[in-house]
Amino acid sequence: MNITAATKLLAVIGDPVRHSLSPVMHNGWIADHGLDAVYVALPLKSDDPVAAIRTLKGLGFTGLNVTVPHKEAAALAADRTEQAVANVLRWENDGALSAFNTDGAGFIDALAETAPDWRARVKRVLVLGAGGAGLGIGQALAPHVDTVHFANRTISRAEAAAATLPNGRVLRWDELERGFGAADLIVQATTLGMSGQATQDWPIANVRGSAILADIVYRPLETEFLRAGRARGLVTMDGLGMLIHQGARAFELWFGVKPDAKKARARLLAALGA
Ligand code: NAP
């Protein structure tokens, strides 16, 4: 890599961000396409993240990925945005800052890769978790399905998520057995099962044989949720798919070229030591 004064600068901002796999993914694609750019991880601790993001304009950034806890601030900092929560920022030639959200579409790209017939198969979705990721995925899936049920440990967040959708519903956390039996697609979007976090005894035995299980946690790559699903012979999708496809959409927004998802998966598996 030959970094000069003309090299384009991109970054992921968040707190924490040192664990991020995005630099491996994007620098791999930058090399694949012979681009004069570099992508780094910037921990952003700030009482005023909106102002901090706007300051980056003066430093000449081309674009940013934004992760927890700055996704709302990113949308607020932008001059142009379609959503209240953004994971991608791009500085335009006229100096304006545009915000995008590629998380939901990235999840759907990954789902289509895993189960190309998902649109015919999936009518009832159950999303476990109503944090930023669960909400974004539920909202992206909603136009394509009959119902999206949110189940969340804190029920008020599930209610708030469901209320954003005409076909949004709430499933109580103590009704998971029933909900698992009724869903065609179950998306595990809590932090449960992440390395160092609590786990849960999911009622996988209740799941229909035709259902798809997706976990967005990717450390570890095979969570207990997915392991139990695979043991039952269900179609499963790991958390790298969403990571790669939201990133691919961001890369295309910045550089106008579609990067290779398979190459990214190989690099990320190596980085995870899998
Ligand atoms: P978040 O906004 O902090 O939400 C966390 C969610 O986990 C909430 O629904 C929370 O429930 C639930 N939770 C936490 N501890 C729990 C426990 N002990 N029992 C039951 N539920 C619990 O986080 P997020 O941004 O939505 O991210 C959620 C997960 O998705 C993280 O593991 C993150 O790494 C992963 N993620 C992956 C991708 C990808 O590309 N693959 C993208 C984004 C996020 P309460 O509301 O009750 O606290």
Side-chain angles (χ1 to χ4, degrees), residues 8 33 41 45 71 196 226:
K8 285 186 176 168
H33 292 274
K45 280 190 200 297
K71 291 187 178 186
L226 292 186

Side-chain angles (χ1 to χ4, degrees), residues 112-246:
E113 197 176 67
T114 303
D117 61 344
W118 77 272
R119 282 174 197 263
R121 286 170 71 169
V122 176
K123 304 288 175 224
R124 282 156 301 187
V125 173
L126 171 59
V127 180
L128 306 169
L135 174 63
I137 291 168
Q139 288 178 334
L141 287 167
H144 308 287
V145 300
D146 291 348
T147 53
V148 177
H149 279 79
F150 290 93
N152 197 58
R153 176 182 60 175
T154 310
I155 195 161
S156 56
R157 272 180 115 182
E159 288 165 349
T164 67
L165 303 173
N167 54 352
R169 307 279 186 274
V170 177
L171 181 82
R172 287 161 47 113
W173 197 246
D174 59 8
E175 290 179 332
L176 286 182
E177 287 195 4
R178 185 170 65 77
F180 270 54
D184 307 308
L185 167 65
I186 305 175
V187 184
Q188 199 305 102
T190 74
T191 53
L192 287 165
M194 252 176 99
S195 305
Q197 301 288 324
T199 53
Q200 169 107 5
D201 198 8
W202 302 108
I204 300 290
N206 289 34
V207 177
R208 293 157 182 243
S210 57
I212 302 166
L213 297 190
D215 202 324
I216 67 164
V217 167
Y218 52 81
R219 275 193 181 97
L221 200 54
E222 180 163 79
T223 59
E224 185 51 35
F225 177 79
L226 292 186
R227 196 203 55 71
R230 280 183 191 145
R232 269 210 48 203
L234 303 174
V235 172
T236 60
M237 169 176 139
D238 68 41
L240 277 190
M242 176 178 173
L243 179 76
I244 292 167
H245 286 284
Q246 63 74 31

Side-chain angles (χ1 to χ4, degrees), residues 15-29:
D15 181 28
V17 83
R18 285 290 171 225
H19 65 286
S20 175
L21 292 174
S22 292
V24 169
M25 180 165 67
H26 284 288
N27 286 318
W29 285 332

Side-chain angles (χ1 to χ4, degrees), residues 34-71:
L35 298 167
D36 184 12
V38 65
Y39 184 110
V40 297
L42 296 180
L44 177 62
K45 280 190 200 297
S46 172
D47 293 337
D48 189 351
V50 173
I53 289 167
R54 289 191 177 138
T55 307
L56 295 173
K57 175 184 174 184
L59 293 173
F61 278 84
T62 298
L64 298 174
N65 275 136
V66 186
T67 187
V68 176
H70 299 315
K71 291 187 178 186

